[in-house]
Structure formats: structure tokens, C-alpha cells
């Protein structure tokens, strides 16, 4: 299993018509609100409705992993009021939704540097993760105070503290198990709403061979039709992982490995 996961920049996933793992930069909440002459935070509230809906859609379509960028390590630079609102919304959502997630067999986890969050929030996160740890319908990972560079550095420090750290000449296989999401296949599909075409320090390592999909649709407007457009776009792509197109047509599953 592990070798399959960490070699996912090489092996063609079997039957990739439906992405197994979708990673989303949920962008455009502020602009959605501004268009309606509402405060930015009203957009974040509506964005939470979209999260609920997208979780449902993923289960319905057979997606196994959904990773959502909720708060980046750079978002602390926002006005204090907005940061506080986002923290409260996160806390409230965790409290209110966790039972529902559990009932729907969803495993929840939070990835990111939790050391900057207050103790109460960290405890609520730990309880939610423990309660839902055995669930299998969908793994929902929320990236909070997450940064891709932090993830890689954190993994490196953990690797150095492990047995592998006693050697030199480290390999990808030494580092990869220490990254966030190491137990999930790398994202098949990256979606960014809100019109910007950038990664904004999301999963830098894990997106090495992910298919990218950008849409102008603002996150609160990202409904079932918009979700299906992203899936349709993904299904039309040919994932080659360095090979030629000719190698893929008519090749045996063996040829699609290394
Ligand atoms: C994304 O929406 C949500 C977070 C970053 C928390 P934004 O708040 O970035 O919305 P825009 O980009 O200003 O429209
Ligand atoms: C990225 O959105 C982070 C999240 C969606 C949580 P931003 O709106 O903060 O991204 P930039 O700074 O405009 O790239
Ligand atoms: Mg934004």
C-alpha cells in the first residue's frame, strides 16, 4: 500500500474516471459578499453551506478523499476582525457538524500547524478526529494554518528525528511518510474557485502530478453543476506521468507501472 502511495507520481491510477482525491482552494467568499453589499464575513458563512454540499457530492460520486483549504499560514495577515470571525466559524462548525459527519461515516481531520490555535480549538479538533477516526465513506481533511512549505519542512524535521535521519542521502520514500496526507493517495484533481490561477502555498509536494482546474465561479456559488463541470474536465484528461500517449493506449496494467 505505502509503496503505491508514495509512487503516485509514476503509477497511472486504476480507473481514474472519478478522482479518488480532490483538493480544493475555496476562494471568492469575500467577493461574493462584496457583490451583494454584504460584509466579507457573510461570504464565509455562505461558503460553509458550499462545504456541506460538496462533501455530500463527493460521497455521492464515490470520491474517497476531499481536502479543503480553509485557512492558510498567510491568512493571519488579514484584518484581526476577519481572522477572529474565521476562527469562531471554524470552532462553531466543528461543534455543530461533527455528529452529522460521524453519522454519515465521514472521517474528519485537520492538517496544518495547530500550535497557533487556542487550546480549546485544538482540543475540539482532537475530539472530532478521535470520534471519526474509524469512518470510511470519505476522509475530509481541513487545512487550517496550513502552508505547503511548512508541511515539507515539518516532514523534514520529523524524518531527521526518525531512524531514517541517522543516515544520509535521503530519498523521497524517506520523507513522504512524514508529510500531511501521507496515508492518502496524492490528489488527482485540484480545484480553485474564485478566478485566481495560483496555488497559494497549498499542497506543494502532493500536487506534483495533480490535474488542475480553475474556475471563475466564487466558492459560495460552487453548486452541483459547477462541481460536475470540474469532474467532467478531469475525466477528459490523459494522465501520462511522463510517458507518451502511445504507451498508454493498449498497454497492460504492468506497463502503466514503473
Ligand atoms: C476564501 O475566500 C476564504 C479564505 C481565504 C478563508 P476569500 O476570503 O479569500 O475571498 P476573496 O478572495 O476575498 O473573494
Ligand atoms: C487561499 O486563498 C487560501 C484559502 C482559500 C484558505 P487566499 O484568498 O488567501 O489566496 P491569495 O492570498 O489571494 O493567493
Ligand atoms: Mg481570496
Amino acid at each position: 500500500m505505502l509503496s503505491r502511495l508514495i509512487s503516485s507520481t509514476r503509477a497511472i491510477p486504476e480507473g481514474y474516471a472519478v478522482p479518488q482525491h480532490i483538493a480544493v482552494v475555496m476562494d471568492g467568499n469575500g467577493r461574493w459578499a462584496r457583490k451583494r453589499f454584504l460584509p466579507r464575513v457573510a461570504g464565509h458563512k455562505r461558503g460553509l453551506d458550499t462545504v456541506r454540499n460538496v462533501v455530500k457530492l463527493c460521497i455521492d460520486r464515490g470520491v474517497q478523499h476531499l481536502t479543503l483549504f480553509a485557512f492558510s499560514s498567510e491568512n493571519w495577515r488579514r484584518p484581526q476582525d476577519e481572522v477572529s470571525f474565521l476562527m469562531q466559524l471554524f470552532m462553531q462548525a466543528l461543534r455543530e457538524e461533527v455528529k452529522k459527519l460521524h453519522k454519515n461515516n465521514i472521517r474528519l481531520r485537520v492538517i496544518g500547524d495547530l500550535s497557533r490555535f487556542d487550546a480549546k480549538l485544538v482540543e475540539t479538533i482532537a475530539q472530532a478526529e478521535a470520534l471519526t477516526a474509524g469512518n470510511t465513506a470519505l476522509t475530509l481533511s481541513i487545512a487550517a494554518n496550513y502552508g505547503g512549505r511548512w508541511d515539507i519542512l515539518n516532514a523534514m524535521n520529523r524524518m531527521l528525528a526518525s531512524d531514517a535521519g541517522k543516515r544520509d542521502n535521503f530519498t523521497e520514500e524517506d520523507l513522504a511518510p512524514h508529510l500531511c496526507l501521507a496515508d492518502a493517495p496524492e490528489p488527482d484533481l485540484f480545484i480553485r474557485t474564485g478566478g485566481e490561477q495560483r496555488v497559494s502555498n497549498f499542497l506543494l509536494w502532493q500536487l506534483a502530478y495533480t490535474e488542475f482546474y480553475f474556475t471563475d465561479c466564487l466558492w459560495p456559488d460552487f453548486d452541483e453543476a459547477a462541481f460536475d463541470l470540474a469532474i467532467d474536465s478531469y475525466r477528459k484528461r490523459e494522465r501520462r506521468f511522463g510517458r507518451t500517449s502511445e504507451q498508454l493506449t493498449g498497454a497492460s496494467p504492468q506497463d502503466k507501472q514503473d
Side-chain angles (χ1 to χ4, degrees):
M1 186 67 180
L2 195 59
S3 69
R4 186 189 170 280
L5 296 181
I6 55 187
S7 65
S8 59
T9 53
R10 295 182 219 154
I12 310 281
E14 297 146 34
Y16 55 82
V18 174
Q20 276 190 71
H21 184 174
I22 303 181
V24 187
V25 176
M26 310 182 286
D27 199 16
N29 292 349
R31 278 162 286 163
W32 182 92
R34 226 175 31 218
K35 264 171 57 181
R36 289 162 180 78
F37 304 102
L38 295 168
R40 290 178 53 82
V41 293
H44 296 317
K45 264 180 132 170
R46 280 300 286 265
L48 186 57
D49 296 337
T50 304
V51 170
R52 288 191 196 95
N53 197 32
V54 166
V55 165
K56 257 192 249 149
L57 290 168
C58 283
I59 293 182
D60 190 52
R61 308 292 196 272
V63 175
Q64 281 293 314
H65 300 266
L66 174 65
T67 302
L68 300 177
F69 206 3
F71 192 89
S72 75
S73 42
E74 289 71 33
N75 286 144
W76 298 105
R77 297 173 187 155
R78 294 192 176 201
Q80 180 56 43
D81 283 1
E82 183 169 340
V83 171
S84 305
F85 182 90
L86 284 167
M87 290 300 145
Q88 274 168 26
L89 189 67
F90 189 28
M91 184 84 167
Q92 193 187 332
L94 273 176
R95 286 224 175 96
E96 289 175 8
E97 307 287 330
V98 119
K99 278 199 188 114
K100 253 188 282 167
L101 293 176
H102 188 46
K103 220 174 81 196
N104 288 301
N105 195 20
I106 298 166
R107 173 183 171 215
L108 176 80
R109 62 172 167 190
V110 177
I111 60 166
D113 181 2
L114 300 189
S115 65
R116 238 183 122 169
F117 292 138
D118 74 47
K120 195 100 204 84
L121 182 55
V122 175
E123 193 192 317
T124 308
I125 290 170
Q127 284 168 356
E129 287 182 338
L131 177 71
T132 62
N135 294 342
T136 54
L138 174 78
T139 296
L140 172 62
S141 301
I142 305 290
N145 192 21
Y146 177 88
R149 289 187 177 178
W150 164 84
D151 192 1
I152 293 168
L153 274 173
N154 188 50
M156 191 194 72
N157 285 323
R158 287 206 222 165
M159 180 192 72
L160 291 174
S162 73
D163 281 350
K166 297 187 188 109
R167 296 187 274 107
D168 47 17
N169 291 325
F170 305 117
T171 63
E172 287 185 24
E173 285 74 12
D174 291 324
L175 186 79
H178 300 285
L179 289 159
C180 293
L181 305 179
D183 61 346
E186 285 170 12
D188 300 300
L189 174 62
F190 166 97
I191 299 173
R192 181 168 186 146
T193 60
E196 313 295 353
Q197 303 197 357
R198 54 182 176 244
V199 177
S200 299
N201 199 16
F202 199 22
L203 304 158
L204 297 180
W205 178 285
Q206 297 86 341
L207 295 175
Y209 253 111
T210 302
E211 297 296 325
F212 281 59
Y213 179 83
F214 296 99
T215 172
D216 288 338
C217 181
L218 304 173
W219 179 248
D221 293 327
F222 191 73
D223 58 7
E224 180 169 3
F227 178 85
D228 284 338
L229 279 178
I231 303 285
D232 285 350
S233 166
Y234 172 79
R235 295 173 85 161
K236 291 191 190 109
R237 318 247 179 127
E238 182 181 67
R239 303 186 72 188
R240 292 190 285 276
F241 298 92
R243 298 171 187 78
T244 66
S245 192
E246 290 72 22
Q247 280 177 294
L248 297 176
T249 42
S252 72
Q254 212 58 34
D255 299 332
K256 294 183 184 176
Q257 302 294 314
D258 241 345

